[in-house]
Amino acid sequence: MASNKPETKTKIPTLFWAFAIVLALAAAVGGYIIGLNEGREQGQAMAAHGASVGTGTQNSSESVANEIPDVAPGTDFSTPEPNSDGHFDAQGYGAAGPVNSMDDVGNVPRRDANDPMAIGALDAPLVISELSDFGCPYCAQFATETEPELISQYVDSGLVRIEFNDLTVNGENSEAASRAARAAAEQGRFFEFKDALFADFKHEPYTLDDFVAYAEEAGVEDVEKFREDAESDKYDEAITGARDYALGLGIDGTPGFVIGTKVVSGALPLAEFEKVINEELEATQAKA
């Protein structure tokens, strides 16, 4: 039997459907534009830190390590000696001589046998002066992804020596981390501390407890001395001097590198570093 009750389903007018379609198209276009703007802003932020857009290391299959020139490697892998008090001099920075511009690039390698913030053969044919900020995410990217490969390929073989400089451009958080890193260097555990911090990189400010945890992981023996040194101002002059050294070379973003006679900026792909290093190694061979 047919029902005489009116139908209860609501019928949507044709005009409403047309209006809804227009709104959906507008939202899609708007989302696309927003996505473009966000990508552009991200690229500008990376460029401001001296990095190329789309930074990151390449896979080892893309490495140009087989192009390493046949250069006589350094052989002096002697370790730094502590001072008479049993601690290392953690006040070092910059270069062996005055550096006021790239014209003074020949003064960059400091080649200090007792430098606790350097790694590699003292007589390596090429020195990389690294300028890094513990508050910089791109420095953390380089330290955890690219630098281990460079150490394996070039430093361990005696071809390259890396000399670290702190370039604090991210405020008090960066300066506090630099003090802590130098406090670890004073006990001969700089690179272990650096690796521990960058492996646990934080975008928020570090605390003293964070630094102590990294120091313990790094094998710092006298944690109380470390804590006292990290909170002191004993390294402030060196930190300021390292920053002035970088600015003298025209480097104001991190990470930055002086590789022989060239300046490289940013956490670039591994192959880009290899290319410059190999070119500079060839140049040292030509001068020999």
mmCIF file of all heavy atoms in Angstrom, residues 41-90:
data_model
loop_
_atom_site.group_PDB
_atom_site.id
_atom_site.type_symbol
_atom_site.label_atom_id
_atom_site.label_comp_id
_atom_site.label_asym_id
_atom_site.label_seq_id
_atom_site.Cartn_x
_atom_site.Cartn_y
_atom_site.Cartn_z
ATOM 1 N N GLU A 41 59.671 30.186 1.899
ATOM 2 C CA GLU A 41 60.149 30.682 3.190
ATOM 3 C C GLU A 41 61.193 29.743 3.784
ATOM 4 O O GLU A 41 62.179 30.177 4.367
ATOM 5 C CB GLU A 41 58.970 30.844 4.153
ATOM 6 C CG GLU A 41 58.053 32.004 3.772
ATOM 7 C CD GLU A 41 56.772 32.008 4.591
ATOM 8 O OE1 GLU A 41 56.633 31.098 5.441
ATOM 9 O OE2 GLU A 41 55.945 32.896 4.384
ATOM 10 N N GLN A 42 60.978 28.431 3.648
ATOM 11 C CA GLN A 42 61.943 27.469 4.170
ATOM 12 C C GLN A 42 63.279 27.610 3.457
ATOM 13 O O GLN A 42 64.337 27.583 4.081
ATOM 14 C CB GLN A 42 61.407 26.054 4.000
ATOM 15 C CG GLN A 42 62.346 24.991 4.584
ATOM 16 C CD GLN A 42 61.812 23.604 4.370
ATOM 17 O OE1 GLN A 42 60.988 23.365 3.502
ATOM 18 N NE2 GLN A 42 62.270 22.667 5.157
ATOM 19 N N GLY A 43 63.242 27.788 2.147
ATOM 20 C CA GLY A 43 64.474 27.964 1.397
ATOM 21 C C GLY A 43 65.209 29.222 1.795
ATOM 22 O O GLY A 43 66.439 29.233 1.923
ATOM 23 N N GLN A 44 64.464 30.330 2.045
ATOM 24 C CA GLN A 44 65.098 31.569 2.460
ATOM 25 C C GLN A 44 65.744 31.403 3.824
ATOM 26 O O GLN A 44 66.826 31.926 4.079
ATOM 27 C CB GLN A 44 64.062 32.697 2.493
ATOM 28 C CG GLN A 44 63.589 33.100 1.093
ATOM 29 C CD GLN A 44 62.399 34.044 1.146
ATOM 30 O OE1 GLN A 44 61.736 34.178 2.183
ATOM 31 N NE2 GLN A 44 62.120 34.710 0.037
ATOM 32 N N ALA A 45 65.089 30.675 4.727
ATOM 33 C CA ALA A 45 65.652 30.465 6.061
ATOM 34 C C ALA A 45 66.935 29.660 5.980
ATOM 35 O O ALA A 45 67.913 29.943 6.673
ATOM 36 C CB ALA A 45 64.637 29.745 6.954
ATOM 37 N N MET A 46 66.974 28.643 5.120
ATOM 38 C CA MET A 46 68.176 27.836 4.972
ATOM 39 C C MET A 46 69.300 28.666 4.369
ATOM 40 O O MET A 46 70.455 28.578 4.796
ATOM 41 C CB MET A 46 67.885 26.619 4.098
ATOM 42 C CG MET A 46 66.931 25.623 4.729
ATOM 43 S SD MET A 46 66.480 24.301 3.610
ATOM 44 C CE MET A 46 67.990 23.372 3.564
ATOM 45 N N ALA A 47 68.969 29.511 3.398
ATOM 46 C CA ALA A 47 69.992 30.344 2.776
ATOM 47 C C ALA A 47 70.577 31.320 3.781
ATOM 48 O O ALA A 47 71.758 31.653 3.744
ATOM 49 C CB ALA A 47 69.402 31.101 1.583
ATOM 50 N N ALA A 48 69.747 31.791 4.711
ATOM 51 C CA ALA A 48 70.223 32.737 5.726
ATOM 52 C C ALA A 48 71.270 32.101 6.616
ATOM 53 O O ALA A 48 72.104 32.783 7.210
ATOM 54 C CB ALA A 48 69.054 33.236 6.577
ATOM 55 N N HIS A 49 71.271 30.777 6.732
ATOM 56 C CA HIS A 49 72.263 30.073 7.547
ATOM 57 C C HIS A 49 73.427 29.588 6.694
ATOM 58 O O HIS A 49 74.238 28.795 7.133
ATOM 59 C CB HIS A 49 71.619 28.873 8.249
ATOM 60 C CG HIS A 49 70.815 29.253 9.438
ATOM 61 N ND1 HIS A 49 71.372 29.407 10.688
ATOM 62 C CD2 HIS A 49 69.510 29.542 9.582
ATOM 63 C CE1 HIS A 49 70.440 29.758 11.543
ATOM 64 N NE2 HIS A 49 69.306 29.831 10.897
ATOM 65 N N GLY A 50 73.514 30.079 5.452
ATOM 66 C CA GLY A 50 74.634 29.697 4.608
ATOM 67 C C GLY A 50 74.481 28.343 3.967
ATOM 68 O O GLY A 50 75.434 27.804 3.426
ATOM 69 N N ALA A 51 73.295 27.775 4.009
ATOM 70 C CA ALA A 51 73.097 26.449 3.432
ATOM 71 C C ALA A 51 72.378 26.557 2.104
ATOM 72 O O ALA A 51 71.644 27.494 1.854
ATOM 73 C CB ALA A 51 72.274 25.579 4.384
ATOM 74 N N SER A 52 72.601 25.590 1.232
ATOM 75 C CA SER A 52 71.881 25.547 -0.020
ATOM 76 C C SER A 52 70.513 24.927 0.196
ATOM 77 O O SER A 52 70.344 24.055 1.040
ATOM 78 C CB SER A 52 72.663 24.723 -1.047
ATOM 79 O OG SER A 52 73.886 25.340 -1.345
ATOM 80 N N VAL A 53 69.541 25.361 -0.583
ATOM 81 C CA VAL A 53 68.215 24.767 -0.488
ATOM 82 C C VAL A 53 68.304 23.305 -0.878
ATOM 83 O O VAL A 53 68.940 22.938 -1.866
ATOM 84 C CB VAL A 53 67.238 25.507 -1.423
ATOM 85 C CG1 VAL A 53 65.884 24.819 -1.425
ATOM 86 C CG2 VAL A 53 67.099 26.955 -0.994
ATOM 87 N N GLY A 54 67.676 22.454 -0.038
ATOM 88 C CA GLY A 54 67.735 21.024 -0.305
ATOM 89 C C GLY A 54 69.040 20.411 0.142
ATOM 90 O O GLY A 54 69.544 19.506 -0.507
ATOM 91 N N THR A 55 69.605 20.905 1.246
ATOM 92 C CA THR A 55 70.865 20.352 1.709
ATOM 93 C C THR A 55 70.672 18.937 2.221
ATOM 94 O O THR A 55 69.576 18.495 2.502
ATOM 95 C CB THR A 55 71.452 21.199 2.849
ATOM 96 O OG1 THR A 55 70.492 21.273 3.902
ATOM 97 C CG2 THR A 55 71.820 22.576 2.385
ATOM 98 N N GLY A 56 71.771 18.250 2.373
ATOM 99 C CA GLY A 56 71.753 16.870 2.839
ATOM 100 C C GLY A 56 72.868 16.119 2.163
ATOM 101 O O GLY A 56 73.312 16.496 1.084
ATOM 102 N N THR A 57 73.320 15.063 2.756
ATOM 103 C CA THR A 57 74.419 14.324 2.164
ATOM 104 C C THR A 57 73.905 13.339 1.133
ATOM 105 O O THR A 57 72.781 12.862 1.198
ATOM 106 C CB THR A 57 75.190 13.563 3.244
ATOM 107 O OG1 THR A 57 74.282 12.707 3.937
ATOM 108 C CG2 THR A 57 75.825 14.509 4.233
ATOM 109 N N GLN A 58 74.751 13.038 0.168
ATOM 110 C CA GLN A 58 74.394 12.057 -0.834
ATOM 111 C C GLN A 58 74.799 10.673 -0.354
ATOM 112 O O GLN A 58 75.623 10.511 0.528
ATOM 113 C CB GLN A 58 75.118 12.371 -2.148
ATOM 114 C CG GLN A 58 74.672 13.710 -2.751
ATOM 115 C CD GLN A 58 75.311 13.934 -4.104
ATOM 116 O OE1 GLN A 58 76.076 13.099 -4.556
ATOM 117 N NE2 GLN A 58 75.003 15.029 -4.729
ATOM 118 N N ASN A 59 74.206 9.662 -0.957
ATOM 119 C CA ASN A 59 74.559 8.297 -0.616
ATOM 120 C C ASN A 59 75.994 8.002 -1.032
ATOM 121 O O ASN A 59 76.536 8.634 -1.933
ATOM 122 C CB ASN A 59 73.612 7.310 -1.319
ATOM 123 C CG ASN A 59 72.192 7.468 -0.828
ATOM 124 O OD1 ASN A 59 71.974 7.817 0.324
ATOM 125 N ND2 ASN A 59 71.234 7.207 -1.703
ATOM 126 N N SER A 60 76.598 7.027 -0.367
ATOM 127 C CA SER A 60 77.986 6.701 -0.663
ATOM 128 C C SER A 60 78.165 6.294 -2.119
ATOM 129 O O SER A 60 79.244 6.451 -2.685
ATOM 130 C CB SER A 60 78.464 5.577 0.255
ATOM 131 O OG SER A 60 77.639 4.436 0.109
ATOM 132 N N SER A 61 77.089 5.796 -2.754
ATOM 133 C CA SER A 61 77.187 5.408 -4.158
ATOM 134 C C SER A 61 77.411 6.612 -5.052
ATOM 135 O O SER A 61 77.884 6.485 -6.174
ATOM 136 C CB SER A 61 75.918 4.672 -4.592
ATOM 137 O OG SER A 61 74.785 5.506 -4.455
ATOM 138 N N GLU A 62 77.075 7.816 -4.564
ATOM 139 C CA GLU A 62 77.272 9.031 -5.334
ATOM 140 C C GLU A 62 78.586 9.707 -4.984
ATOM 141 O O GLU A 62 78.886 10.792 -5.435
ATOM 142 C CB GLU A 62 76.114 9.990 -5.087
ATOM 143 C CG GLU A 62 74.759 9.428 -5.470
ATOM 144 C CD GLU A 62 73.641 10.380 -5.109
ATOM 145 O OE1 GLU A 62 73.693 11.535 -5.527
ATOM 146 O OE2 GLU A 62 72.738 9.965 -4.386
ATOM 147 N N SER A 63 79.388 9.083 -4.143
ATOM 148 C CA SER A 63 80.633 9.664 -3.694
ATOM 149 C C SER A 63 81.634 9.740 -4.837
ATOM 150 O O SER A 63 81.617 8.948 -5.768
ATOM 151 C CB SER A 63 81.215 8.821 -2.550
ATOM 152 O OG SER A 63 82.529 9.207 -2.257
ATOM 153 N N VAL A 64 82.523 10.739 -4.754
ATOM 154 C CA VAL A 64 83.585 10.848 -5.747
ATOM 155 C C VAL A 64 84.915 10.500 -5.109
ATOM 156 O O VAL A 64 85.965 10.965 -5.503
ATOM 157 C CB VAL A 64 83.636 12.267 -6.354
ATOM 158 C CG1 VAL A 64 82.379 12.555 -7.136
ATOM 159 C CG2 VAL A 64 83.846 13.325 -5.274
ATOM 160 N N ALA A 65 84.870 9.644 -4.070
ATOM 161 C CA ALA A 65 86.082 9.304 -3.343
ATOM 162 C C ALA A 65 87.136 8.672 -4.250
ATOM 163 O O ALA A 65 88.325 8.765 -3.990
ATOM 164 C CB ALA A 65 85.761 8.376 -2.183
ATOM 165 N N ASN A 66 86.710 7.995 -5.351
ATOM 166 C CA ASN A 66 87.671 7.351 -6.227
ATOM 167 C C ASN A 66 88.486 8.359 -7.014
ATOM 168 O O ASN A 66 89.428 7.984 -7.711
ATOM 169 C CB ASN A 66 86.957 6.383 -7.189
ATOM 170 C CG ASN A 66 85.935 7.089 -8.057
ATOM 171 O OD1 ASN A 66 85.452 8.153 -7.706
ATOM 172 N ND2 ASN A 66 85.604 6.494 -9.186
ATOM 173 N N GLU A 67 88.151 9.632 -6.899
ATOM 174 C CA GLU A 67 88.890 10.664 -7.602
ATOM 175 C C GLU A 67 89.913 11.350 -6.703
ATOM 176 O O GLU A 67 90.497 12.365 -7.070
ATOM 177 C CB GLU A 67 87.915 11.708 -8.171
ATOM 178 C CG GLU A 67 86.939 11.140 -9.184
ATOM 179 C CD GLU A 67 85.934 12.168 -9.664
ATOM 180 O OE1 GLU A 67 86.148 13.371 -9.402
ATOM 181 O OE2 GLU A 67 84.933 11.773 -10.283
ATOM 182 N N ILE A 68 90.133 10.835 -5.517
ATOM 183 C CA ILE A 68 91.116 11.427 -4.616
ATOM 184 C C ILE A 68 92.482 11.396 -5.277
ATOM 185 O O ILE A 68 92.948 10.343 -5.717
ATOM 186 C CB ILE A 68 91.170 10.659 -3.281
ATOM 187 C CG1 ILE A 68 89.837 10.791 -2.535
ATOM 188 C CG2 ILE A 68 92.291 11.185 -2.398
ATOM 189 C CD1 ILE A 68 89.753 9.996 -1.259
ATOM 190 N N PRO A 69 93.134 12.550 -5.384
ATOM 191 C CA PRO A 69 94.433 12.581 -6.066
ATOM 192 C C PRO A 69 95.507 11.845 -5.274
ATOM 193 O O PRO A 69 95.404 11.660 -4.056
ATOM 194 C CB PRO A 69 94.739 14.084 -6.159
ATOM 195 C CG PRO A 69 93.932 14.711 -5.078
ATOM 196 C CD PRO A 69 92.697 13.882 -4.947
ATOM 197 N N ASP A 70 96.535 11.437 -5.986
ATOM 198 C CA ASP A 70 97.643 10.703 -5.374
ATOM 199 C C ASP A 70 98.604 11.704 -4.739
ATOM 200 O O ASP A 70 99.569 12.155 -5.359
ATOM 201 C CB ASP A 70 98.350 9.856 -6.434
ATOM 202 C CG ASP A 70 99.434 8.978 -5.823
ATOM 203 O OD1 ASP A 70 99.434 8.822 -4.589
ATOM 204 O OD2 ASP A 70 100.277 8.473 -6.594
ATOM 205 N N VAL A 71 98.319 12.057 -3.487
ATOM 206 C CA VAL A 71 99.108 13.046 -2.755
ATOM 207 C C VAL A 71 99.728 12.362 -1.545
ATOM 208 O O VAL A 71 99.079 11.544 -0.881
ATOM 209 C CB VAL A 71 98.229 14.221 -2.299
ATOM 210 C CG1 VAL A 71 99.026 15.233 -1.497
ATOM 211 C CG2 VAL A 71 97.572 14.896 -3.492
ATOM 212 N N ALA A 72 100.958 12.705 -1.250
ATOM 213 C CA ALA A 72 101.623 12.116 -0.085
ATOM 214 C C ALA A 72 100.908 12.549 1.182
ATOM 215 O O ALA A 72 100.768 13.755 1.445
ATOM 216 C CB ALA A 72 103.086 12.555 -0.038
ATOM 217 N N PRO A 73 100.427 11.619 1.992
ATOM 218 C CA PRO A 73 99.682 11.981 3.198
ATOM 219 C C PRO A 73 100.611 12.378 4.342
ATOM 220 O O PRO A 73 101.813 12.077 4.329
ATOM 221 C CB PRO A 73 98.933 10.688 3.539
ATOM 222 C CG PRO A 73 99.859 9.607 3.052
ATOM 223 C CD PRO A 73 100.500 10.156 1.797
ATOM 224 N N GLY A 74 100.029 13.045 5.329
ATOM 225 C CA GLY A 74 100.770 13.331 6.541
ATOM 226 C C GLY A 74 100.906 12.075 7.377
ATOM 227 O O GLY A 74 100.125 11.133 7.242
ATOM 228 N N THR A 75 101.910 12.074 8.240
ATOM 229 C CA THR A 75 102.172 10.877 9.048
ATOM 230 C C THR A 75 102.242 11.171 10.538
ATOM 231 O O THR A 75 102.336 10.237 11.342
ATOM 232 C CB THR A 75 103.495 10.223 8.609
ATOM 233 O OG1 THR A 75 104.569 11.172 8.728
ATOM 234 C CG2 THR A 75 103.417 9.748 7.163
ATOM 235 N N ASP A 76 102.190 12.447 10.918
ATOM 236 C CA ASP A 76 102.336 12.817 12.330
ATOM 237 C C ASP A 76 100.972 12.822 13.010
ATOM 238 O O ASP A 76 100.274 13.829 13.045
ATOM 239 C CB ASP A 76 102.996 14.192 12.456
ATOM 240 C CG ASP A 76 103.274 14.575 13.910
ATOM 241 O OD1 ASP A 76 102.906 13.796 14.818
ATOM 242 O OD2 ASP A 76 103.845 15.661 14.134
ATOM 243 N N PHE A 77 100.590 11.661 13.536
ATOM 244 C CA PHE A 77 99.308 11.528 14.232
ATOM 245 C C PHE A 77 99.491 11.588 15.748
ATOM 246 O O PHE A 77 98.700 11.027 16.494
ATOM 247 C CB PHE A 77 98.630 10.217 13.838
ATOM 248 C CG PHE A 77 97.997 10.234 12.473
ATOM 249 C CD1 PHE A 77 98.704 9.786 11.365
ATOM 250 C CD2 PHE A 77 96.701 10.701 12.297
ATOM 251 C CE1 PHE A 77 98.119 9.797 10.106
ATOM 252 C CE2 PHE A 77 96.117 10.713 11.039
ATOM 253 C CZ PHE A 77 96.831 10.262 9.939
ATOM 254 N N SER A 78 100.549 12.263 16.189
ATOM 255 C CA SER A 78 100.784 12.365 17.623
ATOM 256 C C SER A 78 99.622 13.081 18.296
ATOM 257 O O SER A 78 99.020 13.997 17.728
ATOM 258 C CB SER A 78 102.088 13.117 17.901
ATOM 259 O OG SER A 78 102.087 14.384 17.269
ATOM 260 N N THR A 79 99.284 12.657 19.505
ATOM 261 C CA THR A 79 98.143 13.228 20.218
ATOM 262 C C THR A 79 98.573 14.447 21.026
ATOM 263 O O THR A 79 99.738 14.548 21.450
ATOM 264 C CB THR A 79 97.522 12.187 21.157
ATOM 265 O OG1 THR A 79 98.535 11.723 22.066
ATOM 266 C CG2 THR A 79 96.980 11.012 20.363
ATOM 267 N N PRO A 80 97.656 15.384 21.260
ATOM 268 C CA PRO A 80 97.985 16.576 22.050
ATOM 269 C C PRO A 80 98.454 16.215 23.459
ATOM 270 O O PRO A 80 97.991 15.237 24.053
ATOM 271 C CB PRO A 80 96.664 17.343 22.087
ATOM 272 C CG PRO A 80 95.913 16.869 20.892
ATOM 273 C CD PRO A 80 96.285 15.432 20.730
ATOM 274 N N GLU A 81 99.383 16.992 23.964
ATOM 275 C CA GLU A 81 99.896 16.793 25.318
ATOM 276 C C GLU A 81 99.235 17.802 26.259
ATOM 277 O O GLU A 81 99.100 18.976 25.926
ATOM 278 C CB GLU A 81 101.414 16.986 25.344
ATOM 279 C CG GLU A 81 102.199 15.942 24.571
ATOM 280 C CD GLU A 81 102.148 14.578 25.244
ATOM 281 O OE1 GLU A 81 101.959 14.536 26.482
ATOM 282 O OE2 GLU A 81 102.289 13.564 24.535
ATOM 283 N N PRO A 82 98.836 17.361 27.442
ATOM 284 C CA PRO A 82 98.235 18.294 28.402
ATOM 285 C C PRO A 82 99.281 19.213 29.015
ATOM 286 O O PRO A 82 100.486 18.961 28.933
ATOM 287 C CB PRO A 82 97.632 17.357 29.456
ATOM 288 C CG PRO A 82 98.485 16.129 29.387
ATOM 289 C CD PRO A 82 98.882 15.975 27.950
ATOM 290 N N ASN A 83 98.811 20.284 29.632
ATOM 291 C CA ASN A 83 99.678 21.197 30.360
ATOM 292 C C ASN A 83 100.172 20.521 31.636
ATOM 293 O O ASN A 83 99.790 19.391 31.958
ATOM 294 C CB ASN A 83 98.931 22.490 30.686
ATOM 295 C CG ASN A 83 98.478 23.216 29.441
ATOM 296 O OD1 ASN A 83 99.178 23.188 28.426
ATOM 297 N ND2 ASN A 83 97.325 23.857 29.509
ATOM 298 N N SER A 84 100.995 21.240 32.391
ATOM 299 C CA SER A 84 101.561 20.677 33.619
ATOM 300 C C SER A 84 100.498 20.331 34.652
ATOM 301 O O SER A 84 100.712 19.482 35.516
ATOM 302 C CB SER A 84 102.568 21.661 34.221
ATOM 303 O OG SER A 84 101.946 22.918 34.487
ATOM 304 N N ASP A 85 99.326 20.970 34.554
ATOM 305 C CA ASP A 85 98.248 20.677 35.502
ATOM 306 C C ASP A 85 97.388 19.493 35.063
ATOM 307 O O ASP A 85 96.393 19.159 35.707
ATOM 308 C CB ASP A 85 97.365 21.910 35.719
ATOM 309 C CG ASP A 85 96.674 22.375 34.438
ATOM 310 O OD1 ASP A 85 96.862 21.748 33.376
ATOM 311 O OD2 ASP A 85 95.941 23.395 34.500
ATOM 312 N N GLY A 86 97.776 18.875 33.953
ATOM 313 C CA GLY A 86 97.040 17.710 33.471
ATOM 314 C C GLY A 86 95.871 18.037 32.566
ATOM 315 O O GLY A 86 95.180 17.126 32.098
ATOM 316 N N HIS A 87 95.647 19.319 32.305
ATOM 317 C CA HIS A 87 94.540 19.735 31.449
ATOM 318 C C HIS A 87 95.068 20.338 30.147
ATOM 319 O O HIS A 87 96.236 20.733 30.065
ATOM 320 C CB HIS A 87 93.649 20.737 32.191
ATOM 321 C CG HIS A 87 93.057 20.182 33.440
ATOM 322 N ND1 HIS A 87 93.174 20.794 34.665
ATOM 323 C CD2 HIS A 87 92.353 19.037 33.665
ATOM 324 C CE1 HIS A 87 92.570 20.076 35.593
ATOM 325 N NE2 HIS A 87 92.066 18.998 35.005
ATOM 326 N N PHE A 88 94.178 20.401 29.163
ATOM 327 C CA PHE A 88 94.564 20.904 27.851
ATOM 328 C C PHE A 88 94.207 22.380 27.714
ATOM 329 O O PHE A 88 93.326 22.889 28.402
ATOM 330 C CB PHE A 88 93.860 20.097 26.751
ATOM 331 C CG PHE A 88 94.255 18.652 26.724
ATOM 332 C CD1 PHE A 88 93.626 17.724 27.542
ATOM 333 C CD2 PHE A 88 95.274 18.210 25.884
ATOM 334 C CE1 PHE A 88 93.991 16.386 27.528
ATOM 335 C CE2 PHE A 88 95.643 16.873 25.864
ATOM 336 C CZ PHE A 88 95.003 15.962 26.689
ATOM 337 N N ASP A 89 94.914 23.045 26.795
ATOM 338 C CA ASP A 89 94.637 24.454 26.526
ATOM 339 C C ASP A 89 93.422 24.555 25.606
ATOM 340 O O ASP A 89 93.516 24.254 24.419
ATOM 341 C CB ASP A 89 95.846 25.111 25.874
ATOM 342 C CG ASP A 89 95.633 26.599 25.608
ATOM 343 O OD1 ASP A 89 94.554 27.126 25.983
ATOM 344 O OD2 ASP A 89 96.532 27.229 25.019
ATOM 345 N N ALA A 90 92.295 24.970 26.168
ATOM 346 C CA ALA A 90 91.050 25.060 25.394
ATOM 347 C C ALA A 90 90.728 26.489 24.991
ATOM 348 O O ALA A 90 89.575 26.833 24.754
ATOM 349 C CB ALA A 90 89.895 24.477 26.207
#
